[in-house]
Amino acid sequence: MRSGMVSVIGRPNVGKSTLVNALVGQKVSIVSHKPQTTRHRIQGVLHEERGQVVFVDTPGLHKVETRALNKVMNQAAAGAIHDVDVVLFVVELTRWTEEDEGVLRRLEGLTTPVGLVVNKIDRLDDKEKLLPLLQKLSARRDFAFIVPLSAQKGSNLKGLVDELFSRLPEGDPLYPEDMVTGNDLGFTVAEVIREKLIRSLHQELPYSTTVEIEDYKREGNLDRIHAVIWVEREGQKKIVIGEGGAALKQIGTAARRDLERMLDRKIFLQIWCKVRENWSDDPKALKRFGLTPD
């Protein structure tokens, strides 16, 4: 039996959350096409007969720290490369940026095995170009292993899992076999609501929003949930609510349906939208919303 922690790092929007969800076999981390969707370290647990892998999905490491929230996200991601058994550095096959280079620099001097995961190989039309591209990436560091795959298509995931198990220490499972996420239920609910919010909004507004669960009660097979979407300005509140409350209703309906599928329970969900000015640059607000360590 082998068991251990694996940190998944990389720049924003490279497919880390999609990869973790695919490896675990169900959604534990929210996904959108917008960068910096993930704000927390999120644990997803893979159970197999040979052992257990606990994946830590991290916020994308980014170059610009314009607000306190950006700094906190970078600190969370950078801190996740320590006290784990393996680090997975996720990149895109055909795109290398300054932010990728920045992540690579953070790995300098790290003694933990670092595997390179080359994602989105399904987007390569000419497969003969694959090997030269991989060779170019492999020259950037002495990686413990390199695995090309497509997280979205689910291709070559087994190859990656095999590499991980060969490097994990012997030991008992860290989580019970029926647990697929190390995060509590309230956190999961808030993240699902935030995912629907992000997908429904455009441009920069999603980065000025967060979700807080005010009340969560279980009554038989029914969960009663009261949630608040926090924004930074009155104008943003109007956009989130929409004309006649239509936008907020759409977000709530999509979140409720997703939660009922995930939890196999009936969900009664009420969502309000409130304003807290400049919360994303306010350390007290970040702590209240669970975005900084206690």
Side-chain angles (χ1 to χ4, degrees), residues 21 25-31 42 178 180-181 183-193 195-196 216 218 223 254-267:
N21 290 343
Q26 71 180 67
K27 187 196 299 188
V28 294
S29 190
I30 66 174
V31 176
I42 298 170
D178 60 344
V180 294
T181 179
N183 303 99
D184 64 38
L185 193 54
F187 173 86
T188 300
V189 171
E191 285 289 274
V192 168
I193 296 170
E195 178 186 61
K196 307 313 175 191
Y216 195 130
R218 290 207 142 177
D223 287 7
R256 178 182 56 78
R257 288 173 177 168
D258 206 358
L259 288 167
E260 287 182 339
R261 284 193 296 268
M262 290 175 63
L263 304 177
D264 193 26
R265 299 174 61 83
K266 297 294 292 182
I267 302 293

Side-chain angles (χ1 to χ4, degrees), residues 107-293:
L107 298 174
E108 292 176 0
L110 190 69
T111 58
T112 305
V114 177
L116 182 68
V117 175
V118 185
N119 193 20
K120 305 184 183 181
I121 62 169
D122 54 303
R123 298 186 180 182
L124 187 66
D125 295 329
D126 185 357
K127 300 304 179 186
E128 291 186 1
K129 294 181 180 179
L130 178 60
L131 184 57
L133 288 169
L134 291 176
Q135 289 173 335
K136 187 176 180 180
L137 289 168
S138 68
R140 297 184 179 275
R141 178 191 166 98
D142 184 17
F143 294 102
F145 57 88
I146 299 176
V147 177
L149 53 74
S150 170
Q152 191 165 26
K153 302 291 185 182
S155 64
N156 204 27
L157 296 180
K158 183 180 183 302
L160 175 58
V161 174
D162 289 344
E163 290 283 1
L164 292 175
F165 271 115
S166 71
R167 289 168 173 82
L168 292 183
E170 293 184 0
D172 294 329
L174 301 172
Y175 288 97
E177 63 180 20
D178 60 344
M179 185 176 289
V180 294
T181 179
N183 303 99
D184 64 38
L185 193 54
F187 173 86
T188 300
V189 171
E191 285 289 274
V192 168
I193 296 170
R194 193 166 65 85
E195 178 186 61
K196 307 313 175 191
L197 175 66
I198 290 171
R199 291 184 175 185
S200 69
L201 301 177
H202 301 287
Q203 299 174 353
E204 295 301 312
L205 184 54
Y207 308 114
S208 300
T209 63
T210 194
V211 177
E212 181 182 30
I213 303 301
E214 285 197 327
D215 192 37
Y216 195 130
K217 293 179 180 176
R218 290 207 142 177
E219 302 173 357
N221 193 42
L222 173 68
D223 287 7
R224 292 186 180 274
I225 304 166
H226 294 178
V228 176
I229 295 172
W230 289 96
V231 296
E232 296 188 307
R233 297 189 298 275
E234 283 292 337
Q236 296 170 345
K237 179 179 177 180
K238 292 179 181 178
I239 295 172
V240 170
I241 293 174
E243 189 174 349
L248 190 60
K249 182 178 180 181
Q250 183 180 10
I251 292 165
T253 299
R256 178 182 56 78
R257 288 173 177 168
D258 206 358
L259 288 167
E260 287 182 339
R261 284 193 296 268
M262 290 175 63
L263 304 177
D264 193 26
R265 299 174 61 83
K266 297 294 292 182
I267 302 293
F268 176 80
L269 176 62
Q270 283 190 317
I271 305 177
W272 291 266
C273 185
K274 299 180 181 180
V275 178
R276 178 158 180 162
E277 291 190 4
N278 299 318
W279 69 262
S280 65
D281 211 20
D282 179 354
K284 290 183 179 179
L286 294 177
K287 186 171 183 179
R288 169 180 170 171
F289 298 146
L291 291 161
T292 57

Side-chain angles (χ1 to χ4, degrees), residues 48-63:
E48 288 196 3
E49 288 187 5
R50 52 184 164 171
Q52 185 182 90
V53 187
V54 180
F55 295 100
V56 182
D57 184 16
T58 63
L61 281 159
H62 48 281
K63 210 174 166 186

Side-chain angles (χ1 to χ4, degrees), residues 19-117:
L19 176 62
V20 170
N21 290 343
L23 289 165
V24 172
Q26 71 180 67
K27 187 196 299 188
V28 294
S29 190
I30 66 174
V31 176
S32 84
H33 294 299
K34 296 180 175 70
Q36 300 176 31
T37 297
T38 300
R39 288 178 176 169
H40 308 257
R41 297 187 203 174
I42 298 170
Q43 294 183 346
V45 188
L46 170 66
H47 303 270
E48 288 196 3
E49 288 187 5
R50 52 184 164 171
Q52 185 182 90
V53 187
V54 180
F55 295 100
V56 182
D57 184 16
T58 63
L61 281 159
H62 48 281
K63 210 174 166 186
V64 180
E65 295 184 343
T66 56
R67 296 170 294 180
L69 174 60
N70 299 111
K71 294 177 183 178
V72 165
M73 289 165 61
N74 265 353
Q75 289 167 1
I81 65 175
H82 303 289
D83 300 322
V84 294
D85 299 292
V86 181
V87 173
L88 293 181
F89 176 24
V90 184
V91 300
E92 287 186 53
L93 177 63
T94 58
R95 185 172 174 234
W96 182 270
T97 72
E98 289 185 17
E99 288 182 320
D100 291 306
E101 196 67 44
V103 177
L104 191 62
R105 284 196 296 271
R106 290 178 184 267
L107 298 174
E108 292 176 0
L110 190 69
T111 58
T112 305
V114 177
L116 182 68
V117 175

